[in-house]
Amino acid sequence: MSVQEQIKRFTAPDIRARKGGEPIVMLTSYHAHTARLADKYCDVILVGDSLGMVMHGLETTVPVTLDMMILQGHAVMRGSQRALVVVDMPFGTYEASKEQAFMSAARVMKETGCGAIKMEGGARMAETIRFLVERGVPVMAHVGLTPQSINTIGSFRAQGRDETDWAPIEQDALAVTQAGAFSVVLEAIAEPLGRKITEAVAIPTIGIGASVACDGQVLVMEDMLGLTPRVPKFVKRFGDLGPGIEKAMADYAAEVRARTFPAPEHTYPMKKKG
């Protein structure tokens, strides 16, 4: 048996069972090569619709299509072996009806081989989550700041900073839990609210700008590596790759223009006769 055959990939039930245990590590990835790196350290890799902004330069995630998600989902599955791969459902592919959501999710899972999908929305999506879970689709929920709703909420602002706003967010988290989601992302909510929700729900919470008390954390890989010009307050830059990449490109351009690259060691000489 090969080493690859011996590696067991995390499943949605595995992540669900981590509630209250060792913190769940999650990052986004959209490429086989970054997935290969993340796979060594992450329990979950999210193929996030944030790819629209960090890969394609879009202003929001709204224009992202199902075909875009499936293409990058393929790449991440090829690059990973052990992490649970979760693919975001993009705007407009699941909101119309629970049947639409199932057809979109089924296509994603069949064509990428991923282990779960993620959907934004709390109580309003509970019936759809239940419908999908009953039909074999593991669902990671997402409440708090929901970027796909940017055109109705108006800005990417933190949620629940006034205690009078807590109740709907708490209800959203409870609703997706009761509907059968195996975990829930809490994005950009006040720290005490993130802590309270984590204590209240029976499934793991994955924080992104929420609380250290969450059962896990997620960040956009490009944000935490220093490749994104502007990042939210909740991002810690664990690397600063941008300047290094730019310097490498500048050095390359300079050597090409000076005709010092390629050097002899980078070229192929003729074979010696005889």
Side-chain angles (χ1 to χ4, degrees):
M1 182 178 292
S2 69
V3 173
Q4 185 169 356
E5 290 173 330
Q6 293 175 13
I7 297 173
K8 180 181 181 297
R9 193 182 285 275
F10 282 110
T11 65
D14 292 333
I15 300 303
R16 169 67 180 80
R18 295 273 288 275
K19 176 67 181 180
E22 180 184 359
I24 297 160
V25 180
M26 179 168 156
L27 278 174
T28 65
S29 173
Y30 321 113
H31 330 88
H33 60 283
T34 56
R36 192 170 296 112
L37 295 171
D39 196 54
K40 299 176 183 179
Y41 307 101
C42 294
D43 308 303
V44 183
I45 297 176
L46 173 66
V47 185
D49 60 359
S50 51
L51 65 86
M53 300 172 76
V54 300
M55 286 184 66
H56 297 278
L58 298 171
E59 289 295 320
T60 72
T61 61
V62 172
V64 173
T65 67
L66 201 62
D67 285 339
M68 291 165 71
M69 299 307 305
I70 289 171
L71 179 64
Q72 306 312 142
H74 270 302
V76 170
M77 285 297 296
R78 285 194 293 270
S80 61
Q81 297 183 49
R82 60 179 291 279
L84 170 67
V85 175
V86 180
V87 177
D88 253 337
M89 298 286 282
F91 177 74
T93 64
Y94 62 93
E95 297 92 340
S97 68
K98 55 186 185 293
E99 289 81 11
Q100 180 207 29
F102 176 75
M103 294 304 295
S104 297
R107 184 183 165 206
V108 168
M109 295 192 72
K110 289 174 72 172
E111 294 187 27
T112 68
C114 71
I117 58 94
K118 183 172 78 63
M119 293 169 42
E120 292 185 10
R124 66 182 174 84
M125 296 307 303
E127 182 181 351
T128 298
I129 292 172
R130 182 174 291 107
F131 187 85
L132 266 58
V133 172
E134 288 174 349
R135 285 157 180 78
V137 179
V139 178
M140 175 180 284
H142 183 151
V143 305
L145 173 61
T146 49
Q148 291 177 12
S149 302
I150 184 61
N151 290 316
T152 54
I153 62 178
S155 67
F156 294 111
R157 65 181 185 275
Q159 307 292 299
R161 299 187 72 179
D162 189 323
E163 195 166 350
T164 58
D165 298 328
W166 283 17
I169 303 172
E170 292 178 85
Q171 290 165 9
D172 281 343
L174 288 170
V176 299
T177 299
Q178 293 165 0
F182 71 91
S183 60
V184 56
V185 171
L186 306 181
E187 180 167 358
I189 63 174
E191 197 282 336
L193 177 57
R195 187 177 295 272
K196 184 179 181 185
I197 290 174
T198 299
E199 293 172 353
V201 300
I203 59 176
T205 57
I206 311 294
I208 177 166
S211 171
V212 71
C214 290
D215 298 292
Q217 302 293 331
V218 61
L219 284 176
V220 172
M221 184 181 292
E222 285 78 358
D223 289 352
M224 58 86 74
L225 290 178
L227 292 172
T228 311
R230 294 185 302 165
V231 297
K233 176 184 178 180
F234 57 70
V235 173
K236 176 178 178 179
R237 296 199 179 204
F238 287 84
D240 193 17
L241 273 60
I245 291 173
E246 185 171 354
K247 182 181 184 303
M249 290 179 175
D251 290 347
Y252 165 71
E255 290 195 19
V256 169
R257 292 185 176 115
R259 295 191 181 276
T260 57
F261 176 84
E265 62 267 27
H266 306 121
T267 59
Y268 299 94
M270 293 290 290
K271 289 182 179 179
K272 292 181 179 179
K273 293 182 179 181

